[in-house]
DNA sequence: CTTTAATAAAGAATTTATTCTTTATTTGTT
DNA sequence: AACAAATAAAGAATAAATTCTTTATTAAAG
């Protein structure tokens, strides 16, 4: 099989594409539940309010092949997306900071398929230690070091208060963590090669508020 | 004052810019706490790991003016950002669905300056009704209709289960809501003019997992 | 068996966003 | 007072992402 095209399998998908993939997956699971076997890009585009050629290009990154006049096989497509997104492998993660957001993520991980499994949470608050949220035990933060020595966890979710973020992140690197999902507002300063995924919920509020104010006149 | 330039005040800021603004604001609050009075774009860029000219252009959208050789006045800059982001006005919001994420947002709204104030939460779960999380009362969902008649709330945060999302969203529109911050996985189908801000936390997980897998070989 | 319509796939063009370059301004220094 | 250095601001160039256009493939209809 030749792989020359710009959007063919093998090329690295751009970030906007990656961010759209979970949306396709959720949608396709609904479609599958409805007993639909094949679906076309134009249909997906219409249902998700996006450009059909973008759907084609996004899905092409997963390596799936569609058939003219028929569309994509829904099962194949779901499988292809899950594989590309790494959902078929176990992605174990630590969570640091079992506050509001941390707890929500723990309770959340089953319902919403995030594609990763939080296997332990850590906090310094004695009152929280020993608790179990969404099947995840909250452990004393100092246990992180011994536990990470035995387990081979590469991903950490950082939901600490801002002032603790940088220090905790450095600890995490020392524990062998390679990717940090950072929910704090802090710009983490870490060695080259560490993957940091900043996720600021406030960014979305900013877009919403600004758009509302821009529209303001005609309400 | 002439406003001809592409990045001058008055033009609508692009979404990537809007998403970066909360990051600047948090950073500048730290800078202010350190007693620093002026700051330059190159310094901001270095600290936030981004291009200094991008900093200049992003900040220009708020209408703030900097001085060569000096930089921006920190107070002015913070004020300008807050005004542009609508933080100086009261942005009241309803929250629908007081589950894990909804509760987290309620508890969260003080610490993290989201720029909006949740004034009431609604749920259909009898066990949750009457609870108070982060100063927000959880009310019976049916109360939404009478309450929205008296108050003039334009923003709603949608944190219901997916299957309820579309129906609740339609109710919200009937209650006069103009902007929905949608945390569900559902692509809402709503009348023209309604602002929908989709916020899928899973999108970030997808980017993180893919980047980790792409780097996979050299770990 | 031929034709037609739908669609994936590939490529081109457009638009948008980022980065680079130049200019002009301002403060500190000689 | 003139000069030099730093920096905001504006504009140009580059890069990236999206949308549009064309092509080729496939299944259904006649």
């Amino acid at each position: 099989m030749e792989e020359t095209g710009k959007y063919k399998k093998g090329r690295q998908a751009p970030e906007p594409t990656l961010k759209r993939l979970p949306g396709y997956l959720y949608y396709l699971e609904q479609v599958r539940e409805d007993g639909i076997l094949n679906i076309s890009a134009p249909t997906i585009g219409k249902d998700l309010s996006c450009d059909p050629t973008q759907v084609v290009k996004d899905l092409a990154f997963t390596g799936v092949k569609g058939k003219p006049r028929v569309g994509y096989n829904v099962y194949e497509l779901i499988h292809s997306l899950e594989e590309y997104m790494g959902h078929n492998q176990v992605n174990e993660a630590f969570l640091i900071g079992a506050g509001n957001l941390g707890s929500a993520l723990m309770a959340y991980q089953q319902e919403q398929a995030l594609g990763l499994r939080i296997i332990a949470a850590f906090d310094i608050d004695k009152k929280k230690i020993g608790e179990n949220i969404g099947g995840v035990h909250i452990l004393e933060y100092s246990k992180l070091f011994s536990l990470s020595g035995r387990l081979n966890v590469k991903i950490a979710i950082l939901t600490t208060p801002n002032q603790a973020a940088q220090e905790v992140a450095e600890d995490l690197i020392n524990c062998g963590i390679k990717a940090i999902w950072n929910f704090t507002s802090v710009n983490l300063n870490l060695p080259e090669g560490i993957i940091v995924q900043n996720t600021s919920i406030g960014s979305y509020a900013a877009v919403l508020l600004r758009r509302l104010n821009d529209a303001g006149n005609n309400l």
Side-chain angles (χ1 to χ4, degrees), chain A residues 15-213:
Chain A
E15 188 161 320
T17 292
L18 293 176
K19 285 198 176 172
R20 282 189 292 265
L21 297 186
Y24 294 126
L25 186 55
Y26 171 76
Y27 166 80
L28 290 165
E29 278 161 358
Q30 300 302 112
V31 167
R32 176 176 56 184
E33 277 176 30
D34 292 346
I36 295 166
L37 297 176
N38 293 293
I39 193 148
S40 71
T43 305
I44 298 174
K46 201 167 56 64
D47 288 347
L48 297 184
S49 322
C50 63
D51 193 279
T53 57
Q54 182 158 79
V55 174
V56 171
K57 292 188 178 183
D58 283 346
L59 298 179
F61 279 106
T62 70
V64 77
K65 299 279 176 190
K67 277 187 191 168
R69 200 63 208 238
V70 176
Y72 302 90
N73 177 278
V74 174
Y75 285 82
E76 237 180 78
L77 197 41
I78 289 174
H79 181 264
S80 192
L81 275 165
E82 283 179 337
E83 179 159 307
Y84 189 74
M85 292 170 69
H87 286 204
N88 55 342
Q89 69 203 43
V90 217
N91 300 295
E92 295 183 327
F94 287 143
L95 183 143
I96 325 292
N100 298 309
L101 186 58
S103 301
L105 287 171
M106 285 187 263
Y108 216 51
Q109 60 172 341
Q110 293 104 334
E111 336 163 15
Q112 298 283 114
L114 294 177
L116 40 82
R117 185 185 301 155
I118 303 169
I119 58 165
F122 301 89
D123 206 297
I124 51 165
D125 184 349
K126 297 268 184 286
K127 278 171 288 184
K128 288 174 189 160
I129 294 160
E131 269 189 65
N132 182 312
I133 300 175
V136 183
H137 287 283
I138 303 175
L139 310 173
E140 163 66 39
Y141 180 61
S142 58
K143 293 256 175 30
L144 168 67
F145 303 90
S146 53
L147 203 64
S148 62
R150 287 185 280 127
L151 305 167
N152 194 242
V153 177
K154 296 262 174 283
I155 303 167
I157 302 170
L158 190 61
T159 46
T160 64
N162 290 320
Q163 62 268 23
Q166 177 64 38
E167 196 183 330
V168 167
E170 287 168 17
D171 284 349
L172 288 168
I173 306 312
N174 289 330
C175 290
I177 291 294
K178 299 293 178 199
I180 296 178
W181 191 2
N182 176 30
F183 282 86
T184 76
S185 301
V186 176
N187 178 249
L188 299 173
N189 204 271
L190 299 171
E192 192 85 3
I194 300 298
I195 294 164
V196 178
Q197 185 64 39
N198 294 312
T199 300
S200 151
I201 290 174
S203 291
Y204 289 91
V207 178
L208 180 109
L209 282 178
R210 190 65 233 156
R211 289 211 277 155
L212 188 59
N213 280 330

